Amino acid sequence: MATPSLLLSRRDLDFQLYDWLDVGALTRREHYAEHSRETFDDALDLSERIAQRHFATHNKKNDQEEPWFDGERVHTLPEAAEALGVFAESGLLAASMDEEFGGMGMPHTVATACFSYFHAANVGTSAYPFLTLGNARLLCAHGSREQVDTYVRPMLEGRFFGTMCLSEPQAGSSLADVATRAEERPDGTYRLFGTKMWISGGDHELAENIVHLVLARIPGGPPGVKGLSLFIVPKHLVGPDGGLGERNDVVPAGLNHKMGYRGTTNALLNFGEGARHRPGGEAGAVGHLVGEPHRGLAYMFHMMNGARIGVGAGAMALGYTGYLKSLRYARERPQGRPLSAGGKDASAPQVPIIEHTDVRRMLLAQKSYVEGALGLLLYCSRLVDEQCSAATEEERARAGLLLDVLTPLAKSWPSQWCLEANSLAIQVHGGYGYTREYDVEQHYRDNRLNPIHEGTHGIQGLDLLGRKAVMHDGAGLRALGEAVAGTLERAAAAGGEAERLGAPLRASWERVTTVTARLWEKGDPAVALANSSVYLEAVGHVVVAWIWLGQFLATGSGDDDFLRGKRQAARYFFHSELPRTGPQFDLLESLDTVALETDPAWL
């Protein structure tokens, strides 16, 4: 019998993909007609095999021997380059891209499941291709045919990698304060001058070239975010024949040294310093405008929204592998004696710690977080597939509305609660878990980045309550409410325990709608948004309870240990987690202004 994977549970992936989300039904649509369950399973098998053999094997070394900069070059592990070469040869990078761009045309739901293996195995090395994929998708949506041919095809082949360059040292997440400028030249190119900070994958020699997508200002444009334009700035210029030309004027000034996620270079980049590289004999990084001037942020959101869901997927995967490792440890580690037997007979044999109720509680909590997060992310990916392949424009638009309102939750809920799963995994290991000899310590440090990057937890709260919940006169929230109502109807029809679990979910969703209205009834954004992070957390728990009710229903009458475990995790979430939202909704309904009214001098 094969040893179960400690990256993800394949049984859970199969259950969520096929039994709950019915991904197989997509193959009856023209968009995915060339695929079948066999091709999906082959892709999952291949992903697990490559992740286990080529990514997981250098995960700890990635952490211990992080990339370094010698003043000229950035150095990375040879093992990372080897793993990325195998990944590129597999074709998985282009799995969900349309065939016209050299992709496999696979459903996004299956691709998300496949890529989760790589996040779980080695989040540092896997970040390079996943940033690249987001870059490629943006250019396919908004770039010219020439830009797609020049940059996207080599990226999907794994020869070029991509980044997104938004933040600057003085601006951080405040993109209205971006100062990098782009000056047009007679040949239609631009020269960029400025500094970008926190650029993941910003410099390395893991690929032939790096394609930077850079937000900058064209002089004379409007102030704030409305004046931002988007540019392709390659590390090496690319000739008409696709060959690499001279080095562009974009160089690393240094690398940031992170608490975790150390395998991914994170750079401070200078554009246009003109000291070491002067393409065409002139200072300034050569850039190519994407789309129209001053629409850069709108284009960049195409990549940012995908990256936010990707951050949630990475957080889920780190939580999931930590859960599986703590579960194995709990089954193997003997310590103590059961309380039911008095626990004081020193002559009695010790029992595995999984026999202790509090350890089972911690494992059950982890299970509810990571399997719930996986469900949320696969559901969001299924909405992307609906946008691509649903029969009617109405169905596609509805999927888009749902995805818009769920994106901040898909980013932040796994980032918060799968980090908590990692904390519990350390606790299950006891003192051993706090040492570098065990993986769970690194998983926690790696995961701690996820509530920060691609829009902090607070930014996601502002997005959900300040934009997504009220956009189009609340259409997105209504669409989500209709989806929740559909699951509640099925639970009521099923009767029994499913109907009983549905009752608190129905009440919680009613509070989502009434509290949202209460927060906005005075039309004062400062008061409404003062507790937006609390709103994000409360709504997130309600949404994940809905995900769990759907999974509970999908277990049907099955009675093996896996399905029993599914139902028990759902019970745990409804009994121990959903009730957390009651006090949060009470706080929100009171229009609490304690934080808003706190003078900075008092802190």
Side-chain angles (χ1 to χ4, degrees), residues 120-419:
N122 191 322
V123 74
T125 296
S126 67
Y128 297 102
F130 297 118
L131 284 164
T132 301
L133 181 59
N135 184 309
R137 284 176 173 159
L138 183 153
L139 290 176
C140 286
H142 302 293
S144 66
R145 173 56 62 179
E146 180 183 3
Q147 289 170 343
V148 169
D149 290 340
T150 303
Y151 299 105
V152 172
R153 296 187 189 280
M155 283 197 283
L156 296 183
E157 293 167 3
R159 295 192 296 110
F160 293 4
F161 284 167
T163 74
M164 53 194 301
C165 298
L166 289 75
S167 298
E168 297 179 3
Q170 83 292 343
S173 298
S174 180
L175 298 181
D177 297 309
V178 162
T180 299
R181 72 183 191 277
E183 301 175 355
E184 190 171 10
R185 294 296 184 261
D187 64 357
T189 65
Y190 288 76
R191 293 286 176 142
L192 275 71
F193 302 87
T195 300
K196 293 293 181 178
M197 183 64 153
W198 309 116
I199 308 307
S200 295
D203 199 78
H204 53 76
E205 295 184 357
L206 294 167
E208 297 174 23
N209 205 357
I210 303 175
V211 181
H212 301 292
L213 288 178
V214 184
L215 284 180
R217 297 185 184 282
I218 299 171
V225 295
K226 294 181 179 179
L228 294 175
S229 299
L230 184 62
F231 298 88
I232 298 169
V233 182
K235 179 177 179 178
H236 296 275
L237 302 183
V238 181
D241 61 352
L244 297 187
E246 62 183 314
R247 177 70 184 268
N248 206 355
D249 190 5
V250 49
V251 296
L255 298 181
N256 298 302
H257 302 287
K258 299 169 291 180
M259 170 182 169
Y261 231 106
R262 294 177 178 173
T264 309
T265 61
N266 190 273
L268 174 70
L269 294 179
N270 287 339
F271 293 79
E273 68 174 27
R276 283 176 277 180
H277 308 286
R278 299 175 65 87
E282 179 186 356
V286 176
H288 306 275
L289 180 67
V290 177
E292 300 175 10
H294 316 312
R295 296 194 62 197
L297 188 58
Y299 300 148
M300 186 57 85
F301 265 110
H302 191 106
M303 184 173 181
M304 289 167 64
N305 284 332
R308 287 171 175 175
I309 293 173
V311 166
M316 173 278 299
L318 287 166
Y320 211 129
T321 189
Y323 159 63
L324 293 176
K325 289 170 183 175
S326 65
L327 177 60
R328 180 182 67 174
Y329 182 85
R331 285 174 170 160
E332 296 176 350
R333 166 68 171 171
Q335 185 173 304
R337 293 153 186 88
L339 291 175
S340 59
K344 296 181 179 179
D345 183 1
S347 65
Q350 294 193 34
V351 296
I353 61 173
I354 201 168
E355 296 294 332
H356 301 306
T357 302
D358 196 54
V359 172
R360 292 201 297 275
R361 176 193 63 81
M362 291 188 285
L363 292 167
L364 196 55
Q366 289 182 70
K367 181 179 176 70
S368 77
Y369 300 153
V370 302
E371 294 182 12
L374 175 61
L376 174 60
L377 291 155
L378 291 178
Y379 183 86
C380 287
S381 299
R382 187 69 158 80
L383 292 175
V384 177
D385 290 323
E386 290 298 314
Q387 284 183 298
C388 296
S389 66
T392 67
E393 179 57 36
E394 182 181 1
E395 291 172 304
R396 293 192 291 271
R398 178 181 176 277
L401 271 176
L402 272 172
L403 187 60
D404 278 346
V405 79
L406 287 173
T407 293
L409 296 169
K411 191 276 182 185
S412 274
W413 196 92
S415 298
Q416 180 179 8
W417 291 100
C418 293
L419 178 65

Side-chain angles (χ1 to χ4, degrees), residues 405-460:
V405 79
L406 287 173
T407 293
L409 296 169
K411 191 276 182 185
S412 274
W413 196 92
S415 298
Q416 180 179 8
W417 291 100
C418 293
L419 178 65
E420 175 61 19
N422 287 135
S423 180
L424 289 171
I426 292 173
Q427 193 73 13
V428 168
H429 280 74
Y432 290 109
Y434 197 62
T435 67
R436 289 191 295 273
E437 283 70 29
Y438 284 77
D439 291 350
V440 290
E441 174 268 346
Q442 181 187 342
H443 295 326
Y444 182 91
R445 287 188 291 103
D446 286 342
N447 216 350
R448 187 58 187 84
L449 178 61
N450 288 317
I452 300 172
H453 67 162
E454 304 307 337
T456 62
H457 191 68
I459 286 174
Q460 302 308 318

Side-chain angles (χ1 to χ4, degrees), residues 528-548:
L529 299 175
N531 292 289
S532 57
S533 291
V534 177
Y535 181 86
L536 176 77
E537 293 169 14
V539 174
H541 253 50
V542 174
V543 166
V544 174
W546 164 57
I547 294 291
W548 266 116

Side-chain angles (χ1 to χ4, degrees), residues 42-180:
D42 286 346
L44 289 164
D45 291 342
L46 179 62
S47 298
E48 181 176 7
R49 188 163 60 249
I50 294 175
Q52 192 70 62
R53 294 179 183 177
H54 298 281
F55 283 70
T57 47
H58 71 278
N59 188 46
K60 289 187 80 67
K61 191 173 181 181
N62 236 6
D63 184 63
Q64 295 162 354
E65 302 178 27
E66 60 184 309
W68 60 283
F69 178 49
D70 65 8
E72 294 290 336
R73 296 175 53 232
V74 171
H75 301 263
T76 55
L77 285 183
E79 292 91 336
E82 293 167 10
L84 292 169
V86 173
F87 185 86
E89 291 174 7
S90 73
L92 287 168
L93 180 58
S96 61
M97 297 293 289
D98 288 345
E99 293 180 9
E100 65 174 299
F101 303 118
M104 297 182 185
M106 185 174 289
H108 289 263
T109 318
V110 179
T112 296
C114 289
F115 294 163
S116 295
Y117 275 113
F118 297 95
H119 287 304
N122 191 322
V123 74
T125 296
S126 67
Y128 297 102
F130 297 118
L131 284 164
T132 301
L133 181 59
N135 184 309
R137 284 176 173 159
L138 183 153
L139 290 176
C140 286
H142 302 293
S144 66
R145 173 56 62 179
E146 180 183 3
Q147 289 170 343
V148 169
D149 290 340
T150 303
Y151 299 105
V152 172
R153 296 187 189 280
M155 283 197 283
L156 296 183
E157 293 167 3
R159 295 192 296 110
F160 293 4
F161 284 167
T163 74
M164 53 194 301
C165 298
L166 289 75
S167 298
E168 297 179 3
Q170 83 292 343
S173 298
S174 180
L175 298 181
D177 297 309
V178 162
T180 299

